[in-house]
Amino acid sequence: MANVAIIGAQWGDEGKGKVVDWLASRADIVVRFQGGHNAGHTLVVGNQTYKLSLLPSGVVRGKLGVIGNGVVLDPNALLEEIARVKTQGLEVGPHNLRIAENVPLILPVHPAIDKAREAARGKSAIGTTGRGIGPAYEDKVARRAIRLCDLAEPETLSHKLDELLLHHNTLLRGLGAETFEKATLLDGLLALAPKLLPFAEAVWERLDTARQEGRRVLFEGAQAVMLDVDHGTYPYVTSSNTVAGNAAAGAGVSPHAIGTILGIAKAYTTRVGAGPFPTELFDDTGKLLGQRGHEFGTVTGRPRRCGWFDACLVRQAVKVGGVGGLVLTKLDVLDGLPELKICTGYSIHGETFRRLPAAAAAQAAATPIYETMEGWSGSTRGARSWAELPAQAIKYVRRIEELVEAPVTLLSTSPERDDTITVSDPFAG
Ligand code: IMP
């Protein structure tokens, strides 16, 4: 049975919520494999609006959710999210959520470091979500992370915290921020242990069984390729690999198990936080895209920066992310614009590029080379077939396919789940 992985192909916030929900309804298991509660999306199911950050979307559809080892897990954020969805009538427990026993935990010290460091960076701040994602990943690779399974071994926790605090308190002191007491952290973790341990298991084993039983798995990416710690606009990136290849390492499955890889992109471009954004618009069109697209961050509420579709960037995301099909969203936001621009390359210090170079200075200097297309006067909103789209809108989509070198698999034409044009069934393999 084919599996599907879905990843963002721009800088995040591509409208994954609706599409992931649509895909989740066709899957048996939904797996998060990277990121943490820096992610956020909104699912509208019936008369309920769920704002999910850590929970795999499938739980809303009665599917099994799995949080893989590639995630960094803030236990308090998870328990708060579980309590919040409970007030909406959704019961989350070990029956519908399993968490990798080897997932690293975000402790209160991590957001403290994240925020203190951002403050110290001043003008060159990354614009992180301040949730401790970066510092938690740093602890993982530095081999000092507290992992979920450690909560079952209180006698070694104390020793691990000594090592962790030696590092972090030194840093916090240097940054002029408040330090942490071991006893407070230890008590906190011991109190969390009985609430979290029932969710813990070797999820790789469950996923292996699922594979043998022919179950359909959806790997739900968070953030996007241009925020990937290796392939993104470094250092203005998140701290995990957001490409689909990381679904294998971040959940403990074979790379062959990832299946169809979908990349999701808006019909224009947005970004939150700092960093290069060659097609950013500072004029009325940029404002219009922001207003029509309701471009405010789900997690932080920050207004998103808006600009034209950057085909050069998405093509790069398609290549490094292994994307086989594109999910294009928010086409309706462009309805009625007399003229549209698509970026096909960059001019950097007089030289032409068909990719965004890795060096931050070159990225910052990149000016877009545009191709201009006529807009359309009709509406694309709510279209459920190609026949319902204005001819010029189809031309725009076809041109995007050519430029990014990937076919459009799904086209989303409104926030409603059924307002989607399905070109091919991603689970068909
Ligand atoms: P961090 O992941 O909190 O360390 O933030 C690093 C960068 O990634 C910042 O520019 C954030 O705005 C961005 N970022 C993190 N998560 C998301 C997301 O879910 N959508 C869009 N941007 C994100």
Side-chain angles (χ1 to χ4, degrees):
M1 192 65 76
N3 294 332
V4 172
I6 181 152
I7 58 170
Q10 294 162 320
W11 278 292
D13 310 311
E14 293 93 353
K16 229 177 277 138
K18 170 187 147 172
V19 180
V20 167
D21 178 43
W22 186 85
L23 291 166
S25 67
R26 285 156 179 77
D28 300 305
I29 304 178
V30 182
V31 182
R32 279 282 308 269
F33 58 90
Q34 48 76 221
H37 65 314
N38 49 347
H41 51 234
T42 307
L43 301 184
V44 183
V45 180
N47 57 0
Q48 290 286 0
T49 300
Y50 298 98
K51 287 199 180 293
L52 301 187
S53 191
L54 259 172
L55 288 174
S57 310
V59 294
V60 171
R61 293 273 163 204
K63 307 299 168 83
L64 178 72
V66 167
I67 295 181
N69 54 277
V71 168
V72 280
L73 181 78
D74 183 322
N76 290 309
L78 177 71
L79 295 173
E80 278 163 28
E81 196 169 320
I82 290 176
R84 197 172 62 238
V85 296
K86 191 173 177 181
T87 64
Q88 299 183 273
L90 179 66
E91 198 72 47
V92 175
H95 64 287
N96 60 356
L97 177 68
R98 311 302 299 168
I99 307 178
E101 57 188 358
N102 49 346
V103 77
L105 300 182
I106 297 184
L107 307 182
V109 69
H110 294 127
I113 296 264
D114 196 354
K115 287 174 197 153
R117 261 197 325 223
E118 280 284 90
R121 282 189 190 114
K123 269 201 194 142
S124 54
I126 307 285
T128 72
T129 58
R131 307 238 156 149
I133 307 295
Y137 275 118
E138 288 165 33
D139 276 2
K140 169 176 160 168
V141 293
R143 294 165 292 194
R144 59 173 169 259
I146 308 281
R147 309 196 299 175
L148 181 54
C149 51
D150 296 328
L151 300 185
E153 294 181 6
E155 60 290 352
T156 58
L157 258 185
S158 172
H159 166 69
K160 281 178 182 268
L161 282 172
D162 279 333
E163 193 195 335
L164 192 120
L165 283 180
L166 174 69
H167 179 85
H168 289 298
N169 277 343
T170 311
L171 211 59
L172 285 166
R173 236 175 262 120
L175 290 164
E178 260 181 61
T179 55
F180 282 76
E181 293 289 333
K182 180 173 89 173
T184 319
L185 289 184
L186 186 58
D187 290 350
L189 287 173
L190 292 176
L192 286 166
K195 296 179 191 157
L196 284 179
L197 285 172
F199 291 96
E201 69 173 25
V203 298
W204 62 268
E205 212 158 35
R206 181 178 290 270
L207 293 172
D208 186 53
T209 307
R211 180 187 58 78
Q212 292 177 41
E213 291 172 350
R215 297 198 185 277
R216 294 170 161 207
V217 179
L218 173 66
F219 297 97
E220 178 184 352
Q223 292 86 47
V225 176
M226 285 301 144
L227 289 170
D228 183 285
V229 68
D230 286 293
H231 299 289
T233 44
Y234 193 91
Y236 299 96
V237 292
T238 192
S239 297
S240 61
N241 284 113
T242 57
V243 290
N246 193 28
V253 299
S254 158
H256 298 294
I258 298 172
T260 303
I261 301 169
L262 298 178
I264 183 159
K266 276 178 200 169
Y268 50 100
T269 313
T270 66
R271 163 162 218 177
V272 286
F277 181 173
T279 62
E280 183 167 13
L281 290 168
F282 300 95
D283 59 4
D284 287 347
T285 308
K287 274 190 213 125
L288 187 80
L289 295 177
Q291 280 159 9
R292 282 205 193 162
H294 307 289
E295 298 296 355
F296 294 93
T298 318
V299 170
T300 56
R302 291 179 286 181
R304 297 178 185 140
R305 301 154 64 191
C306 299
W308 293 121
F309 186 83
D310 189 339
C312 192
L313 194 87
V314 175
R315 177 179 165 275
Q316 195 162 329
V318 162
K319 304 289 175 191
V320 299
V323 170
L326 207 64
V327 181
L328 199 64
T329 64
K330 294 190 149 185
L331 186 64
D332 57 298
V333 172
L334 303 179
D335 284 355
L337 290 181
E339 177 178 277
L340 304 169
K341 290 186 189 220
I342 302 180
C343 171
T344 59
Y346 309 109
S347 167
I348 303 172
H349 303 309
E351 218 185 312
T352 301
F353 284 79
R354 275 267 285 152
R355 60 180 172 83
L356 199 56
Q363 291 180 357
T367 55
I369 299 167
Y370 283 124
E371 186 176 293
T372 303
M373 287 187 78
E374 207 183 296
W376 52 89
S377 52
S379 165
T380 63
R381 198 170 170 87
R384 294 183 184 184
S385 71
W386 292 105
E388 291 173 55
L389 293 179
Q392 200 54 37
I394 298 177
K395 262 196 195 164
Y396 182 71
V397 175
R398 294 294 181 221
R399 187 65 187 131
I400 284 178
E401 285 182 316
E402 268 169 21
L403 288 168
V404 308
E405 298 178 28
V408 168
T409 304
L410 299 170
L411 186 67
S412 160
T413 56
S414 97
E416 296 299 321
R417 199 155 81 104
D418 294 328
D419 292 343
T420 302
I421 300 174
T422 312
V423 182
S424 60
D425 176 4
F427 280 106

